[in-house]
Amino acid sequence: MKYIVLLSLLLTLSACYKGKSVDLIIHNAKIHVMNDQLEMSEAIAIKDGKIVEVGPERQILNKYTAKTIINAQNKDVFPGFHDAHGHIMSLAKQKLNADLRGSRSYYEMISKLEKHQSKTKQSILIGRGWDQSIWGEKIMPDNQLLNETFPEIPVALTRIDGHAMLINQAMMNYVGINDTTQVKGGDFLKKDGKLSGILLDHALDLVNNAIPKPKKEDLKAAILSIQNDLLAAGITHVHEAGLSAEERDLFIELADKNQLEIYVYAMLFPTPENIEFAKENGFYKNNRLSIRSFKIIADGALGSHGACMIEPYSDLTNTHGMLLKSPSEIHAVFTEAKTLNYQVNSHCIGDSANRTVLRMIDTLMQKTPDHRWRIEHAQIMHPSDFQYFNSTGVIPSVQPTHATSDQRWAEHHIGKERLEKGAYAYNTLQKESGMILFGTDFPIEHYDPFGTIHAAVQRKNTENEPLKGFLKDEAVDLATTLKAMTLWAAYGCFEEGQVGSLEKGKQANIVIFDQAVKSSASFLPNYAWVSIVDGKIVFDMR
């Protein structure tokens, strides 16, 4: 009998030694748990898409067995990064049209257009990405050269920020724009009393609503390509910053077929169709697509003088910019969102737009402390208005690379005092709010999260400019930056219970980076070595 008992005991010990079966183990790793305590660990066990346990190397390897085991080679392991403000749909459209980003002159832009047109033979030529500040120009271009090059084909070229457009005379004729055309919340710039071809803000709608839309299947293919690029960068979550009803439905189609390999938290433009969707669906969840927020664009962009400022622009003293919606229109959307318990994420660039929206939220949401409404950009703040991020519970959602891109001309636009006392003030915003979210606003900026890290911590672009950093007092440390892209970003989209840190029970959305994740005076390129979503390897460059 004692031999039977001994045999039973040995079998039991043998079974324990073999360990519990899981799907995936990552070991020999520097695991950044990214919880509040910023704990570190060595190994992680994953089953059914969830984290089973995080712990010391020996403990995990002794306790669990798995068919798939990744030796991380002592590399850094993080929760999948969030881009808390991006535009997958805009990037998809840009892939289908002429990409003008990086053009160093008007003539180079024209050359890119000619090459694109020679390949595509389009009846209407669409492009995006020009930025006259890169050309060394402080004022907007006119369409003279565009008219000379393309006298018959309608051409529409959206500025990098999406708030200005250059069109030729053929496009004006196609749309029906003339000297008497007016649009609420938009403008048509003139030169020597004649239309220059520059449209601002809502004036762009006249063109965008008239030109042919991309084919749905082409957009889907572009989105699937983009998500692979994002996974290669270490991004597993994107907060999609503004969708029309038609664009919303395209993402739903992808989600229905489980074709989204990244998580998308979508903000809807508050159109009647999208408001009706929110009423019918409430908090919408479909595989990796979530919808429970509205996106309001309160003002325009600083680079095109459309951001709404309290005082006039320093270099264009006859304008304050403009609100793109009246305060009563903004309030109506806020009230509807509150009724639906939907989050509102408000694009606010200028100090006047920020003040208007923050004060409105302060009045409306005082009795709803955990609303998680967000200010997207919070780019220029009046010093007296930072306090609202503390009192209102509003979360600042910013894009550090905007600061390092705008540093070429920001002082020229708003003057030294406004620049130094309330612009691109990420350190101040984080201290007032208690957290901050980081994104890129791609395709306006590149989605590379390590460009974001360099801009946030060193206040430099990837070419390490400016040498001493831009407004260096507003830099944040690396730990804050990483929280802004993981734990806090998850909180900003109501998903902190599922993602954002590598803790037991959370979804196994994980990135192992090729190089150490750190910050130094010189930009350090980096990318994913392995990306994992819901416990499955979706990008692998081992």
Side-chain angles (χ1 to χ4, degrees):
M1 181 69 182
K2 64 181 180 180
Y3 295 109
I4 295 174
V5 172
L6 180 61
L7 179 61
S8 176
L9 179 60
L10 289 172
L11 289 172
T12 301
L13 290 172
S14 176
C16 290
Y17 180 77
K18 288 181 179 177
K20 299 176 184 177
S21 177
V22 295
D23 301 323
L24 174 65
I25 292 172
I26 302 170
H27 73 103
N28 188 22
K30 293 179 180 177
I31 296 177
H32 300 254
V33 177
M34 292 311 299
N35 56 5
D36 287 329
Q37 296 75 36
L38 294 177
E39 292 176 320
M40 298 287 296
S41 198
E42 298 171 331
I44 187 167
I46 297 159
K47 185 176 178 62
D48 297 329
K50 299 289 182 70
I51 297 170
V52 175
E53 188 173 349
V54 182
E57 174 97 351
R58 182 177 294 180
Q59 177 179 309
I60 297 299
L61 292 180
N62 285 343
K63 191 173 180 180
Y64 301 98
T65 61
K67 290 183 178 179
T68 304
I69 298 176
I70 298 176
N71 181 340
Q73 301 179 14
N74 207 33
K75 294 180 183 293
D76 282 327
V77 177
F78 278 87
F81 282 171
H82 288 236
D83 190 308
H85 186 115
H87 299 275
I88 298 172
M89 184 61 71
S90 292
L91 184 54
K93 292 177 181 178
Q94 184 158 288
K95 280 180 172 288
L96 301 178
N97 297 316
D99 187 352
L100 307 177
R101 291 174 298 175
S103 299
R104 308 300 295 187
S105 68
Y106 198 144
Y107 289 98
E108 183 178 346
M109 179 179 74
I110 291 293
S111 177
K112 288 183 178 181
L113 289 170
E114 289 177 322
K115 290 177 182 177
H116 179 80
Q117 183 62 7
S118 68
K119 293 179 181 179
T120 60
K121 305 293 191 298
Q122 294 178 330
S123 59
I124 294 178
L125 183 52
I126 309 298
R128 178 168 176 164
W130 61 270
D131 180 354
Q132 84 285 356
S133 71
I134 297 177
W135 308 347
E137 299 288 342
K138 294 179 179 179
I139 61 174
M140 290 288 193
D142 60 43
N143 62 7
Q144 181 178 344
L145 184 56
L146 198 60
N147 290 334
E148 294 172 358
T149 311
F150 300 101
E152 298 179 356
I153 301 171
V155 182
L157 310 176
T158 304
R159 192 179 185 273
I160 185 75
D161 56 20
H163 289 266
M165 179 185 283
L166 176 64
I167 64 174
N168 65 350
Q169 185 62 48
M171 180 60 80
M172 289 188 191
N173 298 339
Y174 179 82
V175 178
I177 294 173
N178 56 45
D179 287 335
T180 63
T181 305
Q182 294 183 342
V183 173
K184 183 180 179 182
D187 201 2
F188 304 86
L189 298 190
K190 293 185 177 182
K191 181 178 180 180
D192 300 326
K194 296 181 179 180
L195 291 174
S196 68
I198 290 290
L199 283 58
L200 298 180
D201 295 305
H202 285 330
L204 277 64
D205 296 342
L206 294 179
V207 176
N208 289 331
N209 293 336
I211 58 180
K213 290 180 172 58
K215 294 179 181 178
K216 183 186 293 186
E217 293 309 312
D218 290 340
L219 283 174
K220 286 182 179 179
I223 289 170
L224 297 180
S225 173
I226 289 165
Q227 71 177 1
N228 292 333
D229 294 339
L230 293 169
L231 290 167
I235 298 167
T236 60
H237 298 68
V238 172
H239 302 193
E240 179 72 5
L243 293 176
S244 68
E246 187 176 11
E247 292 166 342
R248 175 204 73 208
D249 288 343
L250 191 150
F251 271 100
I252 288 174
E253 287 181 27
L254 290 172
D256 283 340
K257 296 177 181 178
N258 207 20
Q259 290 182 292
L260 291 177
E261 290 191 327
I262 61 171
Y263 277 80
V264 176
Y265 180 73
M267 312 174 199
L268 304 180
F269 290 124
T271 62
E273 297 86 356
N274 277 336
I275 290 173
E276 190 61 31
F277 175 90
K279 289 179 179 178
E280 291 178 1
N281 294 276
F283 301 160
Y284 181 83
K285 178 71 175 176
N286 182 351
N287 289 318
R288 296 190 178 109
L289 174 66
S290 299
I291 302 173
R292 62 176 297 178
S293 67
F294 292 127
K295 166 77 176 297
I296 283 184
I297 301 180
D299 66 343
L302 193 68
S304 51
H305 296 95
C308 191
M309 305 295 296
I310 296 170
E311 300 295 333
Y313 281 85
S314 299
D315 62 336
L316 202 62
T317 56
N318 63 341
T319 185
H320 293 250
M322 68 184 86
L323 283 177
L324 302 184
K325 290 184 179 293
S326 69
S328 61
E329 289 173 323
I330 295 172
H331 191 272
V333 174
F334 282 3
T335 303
E336 185 76 73
K338 183 178 181 180
T339 300
L340 295 169
N341 197 21
Y342 256 45
Q343 179 191 48
V344 180
N345 302 322
S346 301
H347 163 119
C348 297
I349 300 286
D351 52 12
S352 180
N354 277 292
R355 172 177 287 181
T356 298
V357 170
L358 284 167
R359 287 182 175 180
M360 200 176 294
I361 297 173
D362 188 40
T363 301
L364 190 65
M365 303 300 288
Q366 280 185 351
K367 297 181 180 179
T368 313
D370 190 27
H371 52 76
R372 307 194 195 185
W373 289 17
R374 294 161 41 172
I375 297 291
E376 305 296 319
H377 310 303
Q379 202 157 296
I380 314 296
M381 298 292 304
H382 190 279
S384 66
D385 293 334
F386 283 107
Q387 62 178 325
Y388 285 109
F389 285 94
N390 183 295
S391 64
T392 64
V394 171
I395 303 171
S397 172
V398 306
Q399 302 74 45
T401 49
H402 278 341
T404 53
S405 292
D406 295 359
Q407 56 89 18
R408 296 187 306 269
W409 47 260
E411 183 175 341
H412 181 72
H413 275 22
I414 63 173
K416 186 174 182 179
E417 183 176 359
R418 280 186 290 192
L419 185 70
E420 294 181 348
K421 291 186 177 180
Y424 310 95
Y426 308 141
N427 185 38
T428 302
L429 286 166
Q430 190 274 321
K431 288 179 178 177
E432 286 289 341
S433 173
M435 70 172 62
I436 194 166
L437 316 184
F438 284 169
T440 61
D441 208 4
F442 71 82
I444 294 175
E445 306 284 353
H446 197 281
Y447 50 74
D448 180 6
F450 292 92
T452 294
I453 290 171
H454 197 53
V457 180
Q458 303 295 333
R459 304 287 288 198
K460 300 178 183 180
N461 62 23
T462 55
E463 284 74 46
N464 299 306
E465 299 168 339
L467 186 62
K468 295 182 179 180
F470 177 59
L471 302 174
K472 197 66 185 289
D473 288 345
E474 289 296 346
V476 298
D477 61 26
L478 181 59
T480 296
T481 300
L482 294 169
K483 281 188 176 182
M485 299 161 70
T486 55
L487 184 65
W488 291 342
Y491 181 88
C493 66
F494 301 91
E495 294 178 3
E496 74 278 9
Q498 293 78 49
V499 296
S501 62
L502 301 180
E503 298 176 277
K504 181 178 179 179
K506 289 194 173 184
Q507 290 165 264
N509 297 344
I510 299 168
V511 178
I512 307 172
F513 285 104
D514 186 69
Q515 303 295 321
V517 176
K518 57 186 179 180
S519 179
S520 69
S522 296
F523 176 63
L524 301 171
N526 206 346
Y527 39 84
W529 192 61
V530 176
S531 294
I532 297 164
V533 175
D534 293 338
K536 295 182 179 180
I537 297 171
V538 290
F539 175 81
D540 192 345
M541 62 161 289
R542 288 176 291 170

